[in-house]
Amino acid sequence: MNWYISVSFGELTLKGNNRKVFEDRAVKKVLNSIKEFNVEKHYKEQGKLYVKANKDDFPEMIKSIKKVFGIIYISPCLKVEKDIEEMEKGIVEFVKEKNITEKSTFKVEVNRVDKSFKLKSPELNPKLGGAVLKQFGDLLKVDVHNPDFKIYVDVKQNVYIYSDRTKGWGGLPIGSSGRGLLLLSGGIDSPVAGFLLAKRGVEISALHFHSYPFTSDRSVEKVKDLAKLLSYYTGKITMYSINLLPIQKEINEKCREREMTILSRRFMMRIGEKLSQKYEYDALITGESLGQVASQTIQGVSVINQAVEMPILRPLIAMDKTEIIEISREIGTYETSILPFEDCCTVFLPRRPVTKPRLRDIQASEKNLDVDKLVDEAIENMEIFKIEE
């Protein structure tokens, strides 16, 4: 008998001919997440990854594995030989390890993956349950409808016994869905947007805009802190930091005040597209949510889209603020996001921003600006940070 951690893949199992590619990528991410621990061996067996290591390290290892996308469940499990007597000994040993001290109910659920095994699941369930009752009958009773806990037994090439299942995030392994450039502000929304796209397998880099000296160095540090929190899930993040102030001054001087936000957003997308062409990103990602602020109307989003040719992904577009905050709390970015540091969007903030912009009006205003020159100068002066957990 040996203790392992079992890792269950989610929708990766539905990938047909590409399943191995997705699973291998997820395995690589799992092993990288626990590289600080002493892993004795690992292998895949019929839809799960099994990792042998020091059992005392399991709680911390499971915390690390949970952050890997593509995983639905993680469980400590006891591996035993595929023999009835060994399975009975194993399940008794497993219950003993649970250190149950109060009267409880349980249920055994056998998954007989190896159909050649001589006993079927309906025969194994009572047999293994009986072994538990024989040893722990003073504390435990069987309840097949509403047990306090279940004991799962997977009969494969080997037999695995487990009970506790830590839920993972699901999704797809990072990098399996291309590369995205996230417009990362210091607010609540954009880190959540980055997390959700990373969960769908997008490798994330970040693009941050500030308005120094109108905004402080601390506001940039706050965004770097958010990128670091995000990197717990995404791995290393390259963060491009650009001073938008020269562009904002030009807009403020030569365009209508009401159009400041829309014009600024179009510049952000152009800068993002130019960086994407240079560094090979497949899409821009924003934390925009329909109706949340003045620029996030259908008309505003449409006009912003038409500044560039590449796709702009908005995973939060139909979400309520409360839903976004809930995810933000869950992934650990909320407390940093609400720290009171200003961002570039508060500079030259119009008193009555346009909410239903027309493209021809915006393009007419942009004729007052040397758009290409302003974009090039902004990129020439950018800073690049490497952020990692």
Side-chain angles (χ1 to χ4, degrees):
M1 297 181 201
N2 288 292
W3 286 93
Y4 283 73
I5 289 176
S6 71
V7 181
S8 303
F9 302 116
E11 62 183 279
L12 307 189
T13 58
L14 305 176
K15 293 300 179 185
N17 294 335
N18 293 322
R19 173 176 172 173
K20 184 177 185 304
V21 174
F22 280 83
E23 285 190 354
D24 287 349
R25 190 183 290 269
V27 168
K28 187 176 178 182
K29 295 291 183 185
V30 168
L31 296 178
N32 187 59
S33 74
I34 53 176
K35 60 186 177 186
E36 64 187 90
F37 300 96
N38 181 25
V39 174
E40 294 180 38
K41 64 186 291 189
H42 69 275
Y43 58 90
K44 288 193 296 181
E45 185 178 330
Q46 291 168 299
K48 287 188 180 182
L49 170 68
Y50 294 93
V51 178
K52 185 179 181 185
N54 186 336
K55 186 169 177 289
D56 293 338
D57 292 333
F58 280 9
E60 291 303 315
M61 291 175 73
I62 289 173
K63 283 182 187 176
S64 298
I65 295 171
K66 185 177 183 293
K67 296 174 183 174
V68 177
F69 295 126
I71 306 301
I72 53 168
Y73 289 113
I74 312 139
S75 301
C77 66
L78 186 62
K79 176 183 174 183
V80 301
E81 292 183 21
K82 198 161 52 178
D83 172 87
I84 294 296
E85 189 175 337
E86 290 299 313
M87 291 165 68
E88 288 178 330
K89 288 181 183 176
I91 200 166
V92 168
E93 178 66 21
F94 182 84
V95 174
K96 186 178 177 183
E97 283 287 323
K98 289 182 72 70
N99 196 27
I100 296 169
T101 57
E102 297 181 352
K103 291 189 175 181
S104 312
T105 58
F106 75 101
K107 176 183 179 183
V108 175
E109 280 192 2
V110 175
N111 181 19
R112 182 170 156 268
V113 180
D114 178 4
K115 302 303 182 189
S116 67
F117 190 65
K118 54 188 177 183
L119 294 184
K120 296 181 179 178
S121 298
E123 298 169 295
L124 284 169
N125 286 329
K127 190 166 188 60
L128 297 177
V132 173
L133 290 173
K134 186 176 179 181
Q135 191 71 25
F136 303 100
D138 56 334
L139 280 174
L140 299 178
K141 288 184 179 178
V142 174
D143 184 341
V144 296
H145 300 293
N146 188 29
D148 293 321
F149 66 93
K150 292 182 180 179
I151 305 172
Y152 303 97
V153 181
D154 290 348
V155 181
K156 302 179 171 179
Q157 293 176 356
N158 300 283
V159 174
Y160 301 93
I161 303 169
Y162 57 100
S163 182
D164 300 323
R165 301 199 298 184
T166 299
K167 195 173 181 181
W169 289 105
L172 299 172
I174 293 289
S176 60
S177 298
R179 305 176 73 227
L181 185 57
L182 169 68
L183 274 66
L184 183 63
S185 73
I188 295 170
D189 302 340
S190 55
V192 174
F195 170 82
L196 292 177
L197 263 298
K199 182 182 171 185
R200 295 310 302 164
V202 178
E203 181 182 326
I204 300 291
S205 290
L207 171 58
H208 173 63
F209 294 95
H210 62 83
S211 302
Y212 184 81
F214 285 26
T215 57
S216 67
D217 286 335
R218 188 65 190 90
S219 69
V220 176
E221 291 302 313
K222 173 187 171 183
V223 176
K224 289 165 70 176
D225 290 343
L226 284 170
K228 187 172 184 178
L229 292 170
L230 202 53
S231 74
Y232 294 163
Y233 305 94
T234 63
K236 294 178 184 176
I237 288 179
T238 299
M239 176 176 144
Y240 308 96
S241 180
I242 285 186
N243 192 340
L244 196 67
L245 186 59
I247 293 174
Q248 290 174 307
K249 284 182 173 177
E250 283 286 292
I251 296 172
N252 186 56
E253 181 180 339
K254 298 176 179 176
C255 302
R256 289 183 285 269
E257 181 202 22
R258 296 187 66 201
E259 297 171 343
M260 168 61 79
T261 305
I262 293 293
L263 288 167
S264 297
R265 295 291 292 174
R266 283 170 61 87
F267 268 99
M268 291 178 184
M269 300 305 158
R270 288 188 178 103
I271 291 169
E273 184 175 59
K274 195 139 192 174
L275 290 175
S276 297
Q277 291 165 351
K278 182 175 182 179
Y279 296 109
E280 299 182 340
Y281 297 108
D282 303 305
L284 301 176
I285 303 165
T286 78
E288 290 162 305
S289 172
L290 201 60
Q292 190 175 126
V293 298
S295 66
Q296 294 173 15
T297 61
I298 289 178
Q299 295 83 356
V301 166
S302 176
V303 169
I304 291 168
N305 281 350
Q306 293 179 73
V308 294
E309 295 181 355
M310 68 183 305
I312 302 173
L313 304 181
R314 297 179 171 90
L316 313 186
I317 196 70
M319 295 178 69
D320 293 338
K321 193 70 177 183
T322 51
E323 295 175 292
I324 298 168
I325 288 174
E326 186 177 338
I327 298 173
S328 176
R329 289 184 190 279
E330 197 169 357
I331 65 175
T333 56
Y334 179 75
E335 295 300 330
T336 300
S337 289
I338 62 172
L339 292 175
F341 296 105
E342 70 288 342
D343 65 33
C344 69
C345 294
T346 61
V347 176
F348 301 120
L349 190 65
R351 287 166 294 181
R352 296 180 60 247
V354 61
T355 57
K356 295 181 179 179
R358 295 184 299 183
L359 182 60
R360 63 174 179 271
D361 295 335
I362 297 300
Q363 288 174 329
S365 295
E366 286 176 342
K367 288 181 179 176
N368 299 321
L369 306 168
D370 191 339
V371 173
D372 291 340
K373 178 170 177 286
L374 287 168
V375 168
D376 289 341
E377 287 177 349
I379 292 175
E380 285 170 8
N381 294 314
M382 75 177 174
E383 294 180 282
I384 302 178
F385 303 103
K386 299 293 183 182
I387 311 288
E388 57 186 307
E389 180 182 357

